[in-house]
Amino acid sequence: MLNNLLINNYALIDDINVSFTHGFSCITGETGAGKSILLGGLSLVLGKRADLSSLRNKEKKCVVEAEFEIERYDIKALFEENDLDYEPKTIIRREILPSGKSRAFINDTPVTLSILSQLGDRLIDVHSQHQTLRLTENDFQLKVIDALADNKKIVSEYSDKLNDYQNTSKELEQLIEFQKNAIKEHDYNNFLLQELKAAPLETGIQEKLEEQYEQLSNVETILEQLSKGHQLLNDEQVGALNLLMELKQVSNKLSGFGNQYGKLNERIQSVYIEIDDISSELESFLEQAEANPKLLEEISSKLQLLYDLQKKHGAHNVSELVTIKTELDQKVTATENLDTAIIEKEAQVETKKKALEKIADTLGNRRLKVLPELKQQLEKSLASLGMPSATFKLEIQTSQNFKANGKNDLIFLFSANKGTDFGELKKVASGGELSRIMLTIKAILAQYENLPTIMFDEIDTGVSGEISNRMGDIMQDMSKTMQVFSITHLPQVASKGDHHFKVYKTEEGGSTRTQMKKLDPDERVVELAEMLGGKDLTDSAMAHARQLLN
């Protein structure tokens, strides 16, 4: 429910701040007074686009702020999805800056126009001539039938299953398309894979081969240096081991003369053992080291293969080659297993299709059952609105395709007069007839759905007398379960309202301003009298106005 509306610096509006309450509110005013401007300002907080021309004073920002009671609308999920603070009394604010930039806020949290529009659609239903055209759309007509059939839960279930089915079907299409491309690449990928599998790609292999290659390439130098080292240690005259042997004997004799000599002897004994071990190791290396041209060639070939593969695949080391090999293996395996994957995915699609078919059939049958009731209610209501011969032809047909709301095509045909052929609403119904049909449908929906606040923008255009009186009754009945606004030129409709607001212009200092106020009982009588007979008030007009209010 709309509690309060503030509009500042918008078009002809300087500053309007008006409060609303439950029930049926009528808004009247002379042509050009600014009722459309009021709707334009309201549309800003509902997510409609705006531009700099909306500013009354181009040097100040335009602000439109609306407070809504939203507890009854079951829209907490919308707030959670968009990370917004949920408040039972929610404030929506829209600002247009002098620079032309626009900002929107929900409970002081900045939001996009898309989010604002989503929320706006759940809070106010502004019925205008443009919206009347929705009456001719199949989706809207089915929505009316679903309301009568209490199909909300099953439509939601169908939507979930449709989404699942479409996603699975898309996955199948992607698999088939992938298979087409993968087959072309399979042979080449397999060739690359076998090439990598044939290469030595163990961890640390490249470093090990490079070390072996260095040793075999320099075997003569290595032998020469090993021999020289062994000789330095084992020469009979000046070999290090012989000299250390003599030193060991000296220290051994000293060790008995004190603790410090004992420790020195231990160190010399340790050095002798280490040098002796080094001598043995040098001798072992000498025995093992030998020229091996064949092994050198094998190692060179393996290294060259690794270098070539790294260059070919743009890898920096063997580890990256291993990663590439794994990826190629997965591609080749995936291609070879695609037939099985496609068969499994086709089975999933078929299972989900059958489940979707089942719920679509249930939906269609439930819709079919309520068609007579909808036809009866429409024709009965329209008869009271001056269309006694209005008849409808409603049929449900099953489509071959899954649609967003089922598999049904609705035949919704209309005839306004006896003896005339049935035709589509958009072809055979006049604007006035469409407005009355839409009002009737909204009234029917109000009985079955928790509708948001509704604002009828001159839905009574082109009617008068008893018909306008009945339209007012319908809107008054709707207001028992929801908040209803009607912008009207008809006193018969305006008199039905629980509250009456007047939009009017004032001129001050060469400037024209649109203003709005709630009328008290006396002001309301005058307003209705002026609507009946013009500015020159007569006793009969005033009496008629009082009669309408009573």
Side-chain angles (χ1 to χ4, degrees):
M1 185 184 82
L2 177 62
N3 284 341
N4 189 264
L5 179 64
L6 179 149
I7 302 176
N8 182 265
N9 195 39
Y10 177 78
L12 292 179
I13 297 174
D14 188 15
D15 186 30
I16 282 180
N17 191 349
V18 60
S19 296
F20 304 103
T21 187
H22 298 274
F24 182 24
S25 296
C26 291
I27 300 173
T28 62
E30 295 179 0
T31 301
K35 297 186 295 296
S36 61
I37 295 174
L38 183 72
L39 270 181
L42 179 61
S43 71
L44 291 180
V45 293
L46 300 180
K48 301 299 184 291
R49 295 200 171 274
D51 54 52
L52 198 57
S53 63
S54 303
L55 273 63
R56 175 179 174 84
N57 183 338
K58 306 298 182 186
E59 296 179 359
K60 293 171 59 181
K61 69 179 179 182
C62 163
V63 177
V64 182
E65 186 174 284
E67 181 189 273
F68 293 90
E69 285 185 25
I70 63 173
E71 280 186 294
R72 65 188 292 263
Y73 294 136
D74 189 25
I75 53 177
K76 276 189 178 180
L78 179 62
F79 281 74
E80 291 171 0
E81 288 168 12
N82 294 288
D83 196 24
L84 297 171
D85 294 330
Y86 178 85
E87 299 289 346
K89 288 187 177 180
T90 282
I91 295 176
I92 302 176
R93 188 171 79 256
R94 186 80 180 277
E95 297 179 356
I96 305 169
L97 305 180
S99 63
K101 290 184 178 180
S102 169
R103 300 186 299 189
F105 304 85
I106 297 176
N107 291 330
D108 286 329
T109 300
V111 294
T112 63
L113 279 190
S114 174
I115 294 174
L116 195 64
S117 182
Q118 288 179 53
L119 179 58
D121 288 342
R122 305 283 290 273
L123 297 179
I124 295 189
D125 178 4
V126 179
H127 175 89
S128 60
Q129 185 177 4
H130 170 72
Q131 203 219 26
T132 300
L133 297 177
R134 285 197 62 208
L135 180 59
T136 66
E137 298 171 2
N138 209 262
D139 286 348
F140 181 80
Q141 295 163 357
L142 281 173
K143 182 181 177 182
V144 177
I145 292 171
D146 286 333
L148 267 70
D150 192 22
N151 283 343
K152 184 176 181 179
K153 185 176 179 181
I154 195 169
V155 168
S156 177
E157 186 180 349
Y158 170 86
S159 179
D160 291 340
K161 288 187 180 297
L162 175 64
N163 188 52
D164 191 24
Y165 167 72
Q166 288 174 335
N167 287 337
T168 309
S169 298
K170 188 175 181 180
E171 289 169 3
L172 174 60
E173 292 173 5
Q174 289 172 340
L175 272 176
I176 293 171
E177 185 64 26
F178 178 73
Q179 186 184 47
K180 290 178 183 177
N181 297 325
I183 288 172
K184 299 174 187 176
E185 299 176 5
H186 177 266
D187 291 342
Y188 180 61
N189 286 339
N190 194 43
F191 168 76
L192 294 175
L193 176 63
Q194 299 310 318
E195 195 175 46
L196 287 171
K197 282 184 174 180
L201 300 181
E202 298 89 358
T203 303
I205 188 64
Q206 184 171 329
E207 293 78 5
K208 182 179 178 181
L209 289 173
E210 287 173 342
E211 184 179 293
Q212 289 178 315
Y213 180 81
E214 282 298 313
Q215 291 176 4
L216 288 169
S217 298
N218 298 282
V219 67
E220 292 180 1
T221 303
I222 291 171
L223 285 168
E224 179 184 341
Q225 297 303 315
L226 286 172
S227 178
K228 184 176 180 180
H230 187 267
Q231 185 179 358
L232 288 169
L233 293 177
N234 293 281
D235 187 273
E236 292 183 3
Q237 301 295 324
V238 292
L241 273 173
N242 288 333
L243 293 173
L244 278 171
M245 178 62 76
E246 293 179 15
L247 179 61
K248 187 172 75 163
Q249 292 171 355
V250 170
S251 67
N252 203 27
K253 292 177 180 179
L254 286 170
S255 63
F257 297 110
N259 187 50
Q260 67 269 37
Y261 299 119
K263 289 181 179 180
L264 180 64
N265 180 52
E266 288 176 4
R267 291 169 62 192
I268 291 171
Q269 294 290 339
S270 177
V271 169
Y272 178 81
I273 293 171
E274 180 67 20
I275 296 299
D276 187 51
D277 187 59
I278 290 172
S279 174
S280 299
E281 199 161 342
L282 285 171
E283 188 174 357
S284 176
F285 287 161
L286 269 170
E287 292 172 357
Q288 294 173 16
E290 61 177 348
N292 192 337
K294 185 178 180 181
L295 181 58
L296 177 62
E297 186 178 350
E298 289 177 6
I299 291 173
S300 179
S301 297
K302 289 180 179 179
L303 277 174
Q304 192 58 51
L305 175 59
L306 291 177
Y307 295 150
D308 289 343
L309 287 173
Q310 288 174 32
K311 183 178 180 181
K312 184 174 187 176
H313 292 280
H316 296 94
N317 49 50
V318 171
S319 178
E320 290 185 13
L321 285 178
V322 171
T323 301
I324 292 168
K325 184 182 78 169
T326 302
E327 291 172 352
L328 284 169
D329 196 15
Q330 290 172 348
K331 287 182 180 179
V332 170
T333 303
T335 304
E336 292 172 349
N337 294 336
L338 273 177
D339 285 339
T340 302
I342 288 173
I343 290 171
E344 291 175 354
K345 190 62 70 176
E346 285 174 338
Q348 291 177 20
V349 170
E350 187 59 30
T351 299
K352 291 178 180 181
K353 182 179 180 181
K354 287 179 180 177
L356 194 58
E357 289 274 9
K358 184 177 180 181
I359 195 169
D361 289 343
T362 301
L363 195 54
N365 290 334
R366 290 172 66 93
R367 286 166 172 169
L368 192 61
K369 287 180 181 178
V370 299
L371 289 187
E373 181 185 351
L374 176 60
K375 172 181 166 67
Q376 181 183 15
Q377 288 196 43
L378 284 172
E379 291 175 355
K380 181 180 178 181
S381 293
L382 288 175
S384 67
L385 292 177
M387 299 172 64
S389 299
T391 54
F392 291 87
K393 183 178 181 182
L394 309 178
E395 294 179 7
I396 293 285
Q397 292 184 343
T398 302
S399 170
Q400 295 300 312
N401 303 315
F402 292 112
K403 301 181 179 182
N405 54 6
K407 286 190 69 176
N408 298 136
D409 288 321
L410 175 65
I411 297 177
F412 198 104
L413 302 179
F414 172 70
S415 172
N417 303 295
K418 290 181 179 179
T420 59
D421 293 334
F422 285 97
E424 294 180 25
L425 281 173
K426 60 184 176 183
K427 294 182 179 178
V428 300
S430 67
E433 289 168 342
L434 282 176
S435 291
R436 279 177 272 180
I437 295 170
M438 180 58 101
L439 176 60
T440 297
I441 284 178
K442 291 288 185 182
I444 293 172
L445 281 174
Q447 300 173 36
Y448 298 92
E449 281 196 335
N450 189 19
L451 293 178
T453 293
I454 189 166
M455 183 168 288
F456 292 108
D457 182 15
E458 299 185 1
I459 193 171
D460 47 26
T461 299
V463 299
S464 59
E466 183 55 32
I467 305 305
S468 61
N469 197 50
R470 177 55 189 147
M471 292 181 82
D473 287 337
I474 290 175
M475 287 184 265
Q476 192 175 50
D477 287 341
M478 291 175 67
S479 71
K480 292 174 183 177
T481 57
M482 61 187 295
Q483 187 184 38
V484 178
F485 289 90
S486 177
I487 297 175
T488 181
H489 285 290
L490 298 179
Q492 292 88 344
V493 173
S495 67
K496 302 287 184 181
D498 301 309
H499 320 284
H500 193 151
F501 296 86
K502 181 176 181 177
V503 178
Y504 59 99
K505 285 181 181 178
T506 61
E507 291 185 4
E508 186 178 336
S511 178
T512 302
R513 296 178 181 178
T514 289
Q515 298 190 31
M516 181 178 183
K517 69 174 181 177
K518 185 175 182 179
L519 302 181
D520 62 29
D522 291 338
E523 291 172 328
R524 195 172 181 187
V525 171
V526 173
E527 174 68 7
L528 290 176
E530 289 182 352
M531 293 174 73
L532 287 163
K535 290 291 184 182
D536 295 329
L537 295 178
T538 62
D539 291 341
S540 61
M542 293 289 285
H544 191 184
R546 292 189 183 93
Q547 184 181 6
L548 285 175
L549 286 171
N550 292 329

